[in-house]
Amino acid sequence: MLPITRLSALFAGALLAGLLAGPAGAHHSTSNFNMEQTVSITGTVTYVSMTNPHSFFDIKVAEPDGSQQDYKVFATARVALLRHGWRPDTVKAGDTITIEGHPDRENPHFLNMHIITFANGTQWTTDEVYE
Amino acid sequence: MTGWARLFLCAAAMVLAASSAVAAEEPPNLSGVWMPTVIAPDGSRNRAWPENPPFRPEVQAAYETYKQKLAANPEDYDEARNCLPYGMPYQMLLVAQYPMEIVDTGDRLTMIFELHNDVRRIHLDDGPPPTGLRPGFQGYSMGHWVGDTLYIETTHIREGGMPRPHGPRLRITEHIRLIADQEGTPMLEDVMTIDDPDTYTEPFTTRTYFRRQAGLEMGEYFCSEDLWRLNLSGKDSTIPWR
């Protein structure tokens, strides 16, 4: 796995927003995510969809009150993840992972992944993908 | 050296010079894998698409309405999220992390895009489009070299709605050149003029750069895998917009 190159969340968000701005500069719109806000969750992976045009992870998170909350994490395309060192089993059901991501403006349990900490403690960031 | 020997050397030099001039006019072969980049050859940041394209007033109004819907619920308003291709001209303007491979065979320049596994064919010195040609996502591209510049004209592009509006009369001209960045890495510069009187009040120009990615393996981008998985399992998709 490639080492993490951590930019500040704010800078990364601005960079991403700039890359994806405009009708033709965009790949797919991420305007539903608040790129100026970052939250961190740790939980157990329940489902992995490593697919194009985007990948998704379902994560079950234990809330402070003892309840279990399901989160959905939006990640980049399978083809791009594979190019940047991922393998189909890099994240699998049962893994405990941490996600730092930007929440959907309406659904706080839907995150756009920025940094992931894998079960083995290593990290990877979407900054690897976006120039 | 005798006079004949001097004459011979002089003639040989002229022949060499002439052949170099001919060689210099040979168009470059653009085959290889290229990655779109926002970094211009001089290191500055390039914006491929204008911030405020000259929309016709009615298109501008429709675009503003679209943007409001998109902000609230992008998954329902972007066909590319649902696996439809971008097509021209947007295929050449997407500065994202997906490479393009060019296969340049002299009479045909084929662009293979990793994104959506799309293919664009540019017919070189091959006359006008065939009669009865129906519009398509990529349109019909005709190209020819003038010196070091590849001129391409693309027509027969299928009409498109938001977020990539264009009308039936869209005509695109491109000038593509092989250049290099400050480190000498080969780059492509694509200067595109978009003439679409049904969508814009006047033609405008975009500029995109691609950097050669020697050794980069193109990946597979099949977008329907999740749909087939649903078909097999009979379960609902875990992708929010399906």
Side-chain angles (χ1 to χ4, degrees), chain A residues 26-27 29 47 72 83 131, chain B residues 81 86 94 97 114 238:
Chain A
H27 168 42
S29 173
Y47 182 81
K72 187 170 288 296
R83 180 156 50 248
E131 187 173 18
Chain B
R81 271 195 171 196
Y86 286 93
L94 286 163
Q97 71 274 26
E114 185 180 86
T238 62

Side-chain angles (χ1 to χ4, degrees), chain B residues 107-121:
Chain B
D107 61 341
R108 175 79 63 89
L109 197 144
T110 306
M111 295 177 170
I112 304 167
F113 298 90
E114 185 180 86
L115 190 62
H116 292 279
N117 287 337
D118 275 340
V119 176
R120 181 183 178 205
R121 297 172 179 87

Side-chain angles (χ1 to χ4, degrees), chain A:
Chain A
M1 194 59 60
L2 297 168
I4 189 168
T5 310
R6 185 189 287 253
L7 299 178
S8 76
L10 184 63
F11 175 72
L15 180 67
L16 199 60
L19 281 178
L20 302 182
H27 168 42
H28 300 140
S29 173
T30 52
S31 59
N32 58 309
F33 295 107
N34 182 354
M35 304 301 281
E36 295 181 359
Q37 192 179 345
T38 300
V39 299
S40 177
I41 58 166
T42 297
T44 304
V45 177
T46 59
Y47 182 81
V48 177
S49 176
M50 200 165 157
T51 42
N52 299 309
H54 292 283
S55 300
F56 293 90
F57 312 122
D58 289 348
I59 303 178
K60 196 170 282 296
V61 176
E63 299 287 42
D65 64 3
S67 63
Q68 298 280 319
Q69 177 64 53
D70 291 324
Y71 280 76
K72 187 170 288 296
V73 176
F74 169 100
T76 194
R78 173 189 176 91
V79 69
L81 291 175
L82 291 175
R83 180 156 50 248
H84 289 274
W86 286 56
R87 293 295 170 261
D89 63 349
T90 295
V91 173
K92 51 189 180 303
D95 285 357
T96 299
I97 63 173
T98 297
I99 298 288
E100 285 181 45
H102 310 293
D104 181 89
R105 295 179 192 280
E106 295 182 355
N107 178 3
H109 304 124
F110 183 29
L111 305 181
N112 185 352
M113 182 177 85
H114 178 212
I115 300 171
I116 179 170
T117 305
F118 299 108
N120 65 7
T122 60
Q123 286 188 317
W124 185 86
T125 169
T126 52
D127 302 338
E128 298 282 353
V129 177
Y130 299 103
E131 187 173 18

Side-chain angles (χ1 to χ4, degrees), chain B residues 28-49:
Chain B
N29 189 294
L30 303 182
S31 292
V33 176
W34 304 86
M35 186 70 90
T37 175
V38 294
I39 308 299
D42 64 1
S44 65
R45 218 167 168 76
N46 178 57
R47 185 183 174 97
W49 187 258

